[in-house]
């Protein structure tokens, strides 16, 4: 089951800008859907590339995706995932993207087999190597765990069937990488 899941990461590129919030974002920290009346406001994060290249996926670190990537993810019917319109000023234009609010969170880090840094009270401070608790996942129907965020940390996981759907887009999506869980570690974003 470990190889069935992939961690979503941004592509390694100095031209693809990071994003940051340009408004209050506390509502997105909870494990529930948010009520949004207008698009959220995002901006290019520091350091801003001299000529930013906007691609299909950017990191907030919450995933922010293009309309075509949103459509591919929506077609997978992902329970616990909300797509929130997001406006990003880039140069003279304001581009519409979609914040992927994964409010479905599953506590499924195998604490015995993962490599963790813990707070004194036993809560997880950092995950250096991730092993999923397969027993927890088996108890949840597959359709309800196609995409979710770890409860223990800001790690977004996608089932292989969703990854295949996304990566089959033509042309292939830009700005993202899916790393199999057994190959993911805390430095995967820099490799």
């Amino acid at each position: 089951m470990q190889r069935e899941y992939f961690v979503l990461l941004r592509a390694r590129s100095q031209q693809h800008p990071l994003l940051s919030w340009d408004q209050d974002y506390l509502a997105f920290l909870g494990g529930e859907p948010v009520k949004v009346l207008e698009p959220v406001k995002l901006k290019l994060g520091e350091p801003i590339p001299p000529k930013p290249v906007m691609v299909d996926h950017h990191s907030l670190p919450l995933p922010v995706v293009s309309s075509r990537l949103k459509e591919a993810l929506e077609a997978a019917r992902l329970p616990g995932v909300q797509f929130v319109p997001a406006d990003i000023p880039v140069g003279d234009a304001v581009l519409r993207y979609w914040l992927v609010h994964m409010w479905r969170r599953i506590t499924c880090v195998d604490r015995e087999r993962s490599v963790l840094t813990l707070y004194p009270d036993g809560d997880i401070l950092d995950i250096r190597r991730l092993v999923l608790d397969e027993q927890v996942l088996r108890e949840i129907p597959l359709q309800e765990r196609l995409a979710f965020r770890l409860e223990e940390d800001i790690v977004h996981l996608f089932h292989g069937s969703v990854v295949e759907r996304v990566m089959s887009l033509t042309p292939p999506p830009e700005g993202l990488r899916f790393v199999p869980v057994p190959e993911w570690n805390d430095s995967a974003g820099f490799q």
Side-chain angles (χ1 to χ4, degrees):
M1 185 175 281
Q2 302 296 320
R3 288 216 161 267
E4 293 176 21
Y5 284 94
F6 295 78
V7 177
L8 173 62
L9 296 175
R10 66 188 293 270
R12 296 175 302 261
S13 172
Q14 299 298 328
Q15 278 72 41
H16 304 168
L18 293 167
L19 300 179
S20 61
W21 293 95
D22 202 17
Q23 68 172 58
D24 179 55
Y25 60 88
L26 292 177
F28 292 91
L29 299 180
E32 59 190 37
V34 294
K35 191 173 195 175
V36 178
L37 302 175
E38 57 187 40
V40 296
K41 292 178 176 62
L42 302 178
K43 62 183 178 179
L44 301 183
E46 298 292 334
I48 298 173
K51 294 183 180 180
V53 176
M54 299 303 288
V55 290
D56 292 302
H57 171 264
H58 293 273
S59 180
L60 196 51
L62 301 179
V64 179
V65 299
S66 65
S67 292
R68 77 185 196 113
L69 203 51
K70 171 198 173 258
E71 290 169 10
L73 292 169
E74 274 184 325
R77 300 177 188 254
L78 305 173
V81 176
Q82 179 183 7
F83 297 95
V84 179
D87 286 343
I88 308 168
V90 180
D92 295 334
V94 176
L95 305 178
R96 172 62 49 90
Y97 272 76
W98 298 86
L99 178 92
V100 183
H101 175 49
M102 297 178 106
W103 58 267
R104 158 88 33 141
R105 301 198 179 151
I106 300 177
T107 304
C108 63
V109 172
D110 185 323
R111 288 174 157 264
E112 300 300 317
R113 296 172 36 210
S114 297
V115 177
L116 309 170
T117 304
L118 303 175
Y119 286 106
D121 66 1
D123 286 345
I124 295 174
L125 168 66
D126 183 40
I127 301 172
R128 291 180 296 195
R129 188 173 70 81
L130 175 62
V131 177
L132 300 173
D133 187 328
E134 294 182 14
Q135 182 59 38
V136 168
L137 293 176
R138 278 191 201 97
E139 294 174 6
I140 303 168
L142 176 59
Q143 182 59 37
E144 294 180 25
R145 57 179 166 83
L146 289 174
F148 62 92
R149 192 187 115 178
L150 290 178
E151 178 66 42
E152 297 91 343
D153 200 352
I154 303 175
V155 176
H156 299 91
L157 295 166
F158 290 85
H159 188 266
S161 61
V162 178
V163 172
E164 286 176 20
R165 177 183 294 274
V166 167
M167 296 312 288
S168 70
L169 290 173
T170 305
E174 294 184 69
L176 62 106
R177 296 183 289 146
F178 287 104
V179 178
V181 164
E183 297 171 24
W184 181 88
N185 59 50
D186 62 342
S187 62
F190 306 104
Q191 298 174 349

